[in-house]
């Protein structure tokens, strides 16, 4: 393809912007209207009894979720962050405990551990899945390790067989942060149904959304009850419910409103369709750009990958230019790609300064194993390499985009590779 690179003043491949709004349908509108007309915007009351579990829309959402995942329990909350926190508290995580978590994830996967007064211990990711590396989990286990926070990143899943084997061996609880992979499949099992608790997000930027919201799933009756108590001021409800183990039953207000419930019910019914749309666009785009050397395209390793984003490992020694320059050139052509994902979490100031609650370093000061709170640069080399040098990604493989939109992305890649010697100068 001819034409001067837009980065050097040439014409852009694409002038139209990519839109990223949610698909809202008749069902959501109808349900929201019903809620508004009823005048009951939240059905929760913090008291033993029917209203302890919320209103009609929230209950209907939970029943849809249970049907979809085939789990015994589903608990809707006001965010995935709340669900992660409630999940950690429910499995008994507390002061002095260590929880192993990958550093390449949305901050809340790790912050929920701090919120539970426990210590996040970071285990590196592996290149193939972008998810936590079971081999590094083993290295990070101490006598204080109580749980593993698995994150199914970018729409793919972590290596669950190995992770569950380690969990059984060391008697660790497993929470699956599935915020980026609702509907993904690991060897015929839905992601989020394999560990003790699965957590999902309904935030604006996720596959299905009610603006803010989240939910947890589990097959364990006691864990479900504890999450319900933590969601809804459990300390004043425990007695009325006949719950005698009140450890960690510090109730928050993590309740979902009827409006969010109403929107989520409609959204939830469209999850598979939205995922299929992503899968089709991702495969289409992959085919179009597979000929370029130096790009390692995402793999569908264990089953259904739901492409929350489209991640590519970029090899600058093969392509001949740095990742950051390549991304700049793509952006100049009107194609939104990011260089790296988030900064490895342990490099954020809360970890670098080991200051969270108060000024004295709680909960880090409760850590018995000094080596576990090593948050120095270099502790997770794969994550750092992805972040600093190799990962590029885009979120355009989603509704309402089409194959023609993917053609623009592919054209930009072709144009840049055709002009790579210009870029090298
Ligand atoms: C978005 C996200 C969260 C947080 O979800 P909220 O609903 O916004 O609290 C947690 N973990 C991961 C991996 C996420 O992508």
């Amino acid at each position: 393809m001819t034409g001067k690179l837009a980065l050097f003043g040439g014409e852009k491949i694409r002038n139209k912007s990519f839109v990223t709004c949610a698909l809202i349908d008749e069902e959501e509108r109808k349900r929201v209207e019903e809620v508004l007309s009823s005048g009951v915007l939240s059905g929760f009351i913090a008291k033993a009894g029917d209203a302890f579990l919320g209103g009609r829309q929230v209950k209907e959402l939970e029943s849809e979720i249970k049907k979809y995942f085939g789990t015994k329990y589903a608990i809707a909350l006001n965010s995935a962050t709340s669900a992660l926190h409630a999940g950690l508290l429910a499995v008994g995580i507390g002061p002095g405990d260590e929880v192993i978590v990958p550093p390449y994830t949305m901050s809340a996967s790790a912050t929920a551990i701090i919120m539970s007064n426990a210590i996040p211990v970071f285990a590196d990711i592996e290149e193939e899945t972008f998810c936590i590396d079971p081999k590094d989990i083993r290295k990070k286990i101490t006598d204080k390790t109580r749980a593993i926070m698995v994150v199914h990143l970018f729409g793919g899943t972590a290596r669950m067989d190995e992770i569950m084997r380690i969990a059984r061996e060391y008697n660790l609880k497993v929470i699956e942060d599935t915020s980026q992979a609702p509907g993904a499949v690991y060897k015929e099992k839905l992601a989020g149904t394999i560990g003790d608790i699965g957590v999902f997000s309904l935030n604006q930027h996720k596959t299905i959304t009610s603006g803010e919201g989240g939910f947890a799933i589990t097959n364990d009756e006691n864990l479900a009850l504890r999450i319900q108590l933590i969601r809804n001021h459990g300390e004043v409800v425990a007695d009325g419910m006949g719950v005698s183990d009140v450890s960690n039953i510090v109730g928050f207000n993590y309740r979902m409103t009827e409006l969010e419930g109403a929107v989520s019910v409609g959204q939830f019914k469209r999850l598979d369709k939205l995922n299929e749309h992503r899968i089709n666009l991702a495969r289409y785009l992959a085919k179009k750009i597979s000929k370029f050397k130096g790009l390692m395209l995402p793999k569908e390793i264990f089953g259904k990958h739901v492409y929350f984003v489209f991640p590519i490992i970029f090899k600058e020694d093969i392509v001949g230019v740095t990742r950051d320059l390549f991304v700049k050139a793509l952006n100049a052509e009107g194609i939104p790609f990011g260089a790296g994902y988030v900064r490895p979490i342990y490099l954020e100031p809360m970890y670098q300064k080991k200051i969270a609650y108060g000024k004295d370093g709680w909960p880090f000061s409760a850590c018995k194993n000094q080596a576990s709170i090593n948050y120095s640069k270099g502790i997770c080399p794969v994550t750092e390499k992805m972040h600093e040098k190799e990962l590029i990604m885009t979120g355009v493989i989603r509704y309402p985009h089409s194959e023609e939109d993917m053609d623009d992305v592919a054209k930009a890649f072709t144009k840049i590779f055709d002009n790579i010697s210009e870029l090298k100068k």
Side-chain angles (χ1 to χ4, degrees), residues 78-82 84 105-109 151-153 177-180 199-204 206 212-214 308 341:
N78 61 1
S79 73
T81 304
S82 308
L84 291 170
T105 174
M106 193 261 164
S107 57
S109 314
V151 182
H152 300 299
L153 204 70
D177 183 347
T178 321
S179 302
Q180 298 190 6
V199 166
F200 299 78
S201 174
L202 295 164
N203 169 269
Q204 175 69 34
K206 299 310 194 310
E212 304 290 353
F308 180 64
Y341 171 43

Side-chain angles (χ1 to χ4, degrees), residues 194-309:
I194 303 164
D196 295 277
I197 295 173
V199 166
F200 299 78
S201 174
L202 295 164
N203 169 269
Q204 175 69 34
H205 307 288
K206 299 310 194 310
T207 305
I208 52 171
T209 178
S210 50
E212 304 290 353
F215 58 92
I217 55 175
T218 182
N219 283 312
D220 184 308
E221 184 181 7
N222 186 45
L223 291 181
L225 172 62
R226 293 173 76 78
I227 294 172
Q228 287 162 350
L229 285 161
I230 292 158
R231 168 175 68 177
N232 188 8
H233 305 291
E235 69 280 5
V236 295
V237 189
D239 226 10
M241 305 264 296
V243 174
S244 54
D245 175 10
V246 296
S247 65
N248 281 1
I249 304 302
V250 180
F252 292 77
N253 177 351
Y254 283 168
R255 306 177 299 207
M256 178 182 270
T257 70
E258 285 293 277
L259 288 168
E260 291 152 349
V263 175
S264 301
V265 174
Q267 289 277 300
F268 202 79
K269 292 180 180 168
R270 230 170 294 122
L271 174 59
D272 282 338
K273 193 177 126 201
L274 289 169
N275 275 337
E276 286 312 315
H277 193 84
R278 285 173 184 268
I279 293 165
N280 289 337
L281 290 185
R283 287 179 180 167
Y284 181 84
L285 176 61
K287 215 159 146 193
K288 291 246 153 184
I289 62 173
S290 62
K291 61 176 179 281
F292 300 117
K293 301 259 180 318
L295 304 181
M296 293 164 66
L297 303 183
K299 286 185 239 156
E300 300 178 10
I301 306 169
F302 303 115
K304 193 174 183 179
H305 190 304
V306 291
Y307 293 100
F308 180 64
V309 297

Side-chain angles (χ1 to χ4, degrees), residues 321-390:
V321 300
T322 66
R323 172 198 66 177
D324 292 359
L325 182 58
F326 190 88
V327 165
K328 243 193 202 160
L330 272 173
N331 294 160
E333 298 296 341
I335 307 300
F337 254 83
Y341 171 43
V342 292
R343 178 154 72 160
I345 293 178
Y346 51 82
L347 296 178
E348 297 299 343
M350 177 166 72
Y351 299 99
Q352 290 301 302
K353 297 181 178 171
K354 292 179 190 153
I355 295 287
Y357 289 115
K359 294 186 188 307
D360 299 331
W362 186 269
F364 304 104
S365 52
C367 186
K368 299 284 184 291
N369 306 301
Q370 280 310 302
S372 294
I373 48 172
N374 174 8
Y375 298 135
S376 318
K377 194 155 175 14
I379 58 167
C380 295
V382 178
T383 301
E384 292 182 17
K385 183 176 74 172
M386 285 301 136
H387 181 62
E388 289 161 13
K389 289 183 82 118
E390 294 197 353

Side-chain angles (χ1 to χ4, degrees), residues 25 31 89 150 160 207 212 222 308 317 404 419:
D25 221 335
R31 283 176 180 272
L89 292 178
V150 177
M160 288 309 289
T207 305
E212 304 290 353
N222 186 45
F308 180 64
D317 48 338
E404 288 79 72
N419 286 280

